[in-house]
Amino acid sequence: GSKRYSKESIRLSERCVDISQQWIDTYQNNYGALFNKDTHTLKKELKNYIRPRIEYPKFIPSFVWWWIAQTVINWIIERIIEYLIENQE
């Protein structure tokens, strides 16, 4: 892709990580509730938390950016949930 898509994808990735941290912080009083959920439920919850909080750039055609954004978001969510499950301690 173009440099524009690359830069926006990196910004999107960083924003997803920040929003994911906010989501994890909502469980700070009870991390056990987070870890008692199965992987599918965690991914679904995190997607539902991230998607409405993402700002999409105006200059990229919406269908192209939507596809790129969904791919990036899904990949990031996959990595975050894997990390959480592996590091439950």
Side-chain angles (χ1 to χ4, degrees):
S2 71
K3 286 185 179 183
R4 179 179 289 175
Y5 291 156
S6 296
K7 287 179 183 178
E8 289 302 325
S9 293
I10 290 169
R11 285 187 194 121
L12 174 64
S13 301
E14 291 170 344
R15 183 73 181 125
C16 285
V17 170
D18 292 341
I19 294 170
S20 297
Q21 183 62 54
Q22 293 170 6
W23 175 74
I24 291 168
D25 290 345
T26 65
Y27 287 94
Q28 72 184 13
N29 294 327
N30 187 7
Y31 287 118
L34 179 68
F35 294 118
N36 287 332
K37 297 179 182 186
D38 63 280
T39 304
H40 177 75
T41 302
L42 290 171
K43 289 178 188 176
K44 187 175 178 179
E45 270 189 33
L46 187 50
K47 280 181 193 177
N48 289 337
Y49 192 85
I50 289 175
R51 286 186 177 153
R53 292 167 174 80
I54 292 295
E55 294 175 20
Y56 297 95
K58 304 286 187 237
F59 58 85
I60 300 174
S62 62
F63 70 92
V64 173
W65 180 246
W66 186 88
W67 181 81
I68 292 169
Q70 295 313 305
T71 302
V72 170
I73 290 168
N74 288 336
W75 186 84
I76 291 169
I77 288 170
E78 200 59 45
R79 302 291 79 75
I80 289 170
I81 299 302
E82 283 177 8
Y83 180 83
L84 286 175
I85 298 299
E86 291 175 3
N87 296 288
Q88 288 186 35
E89 304 161 12

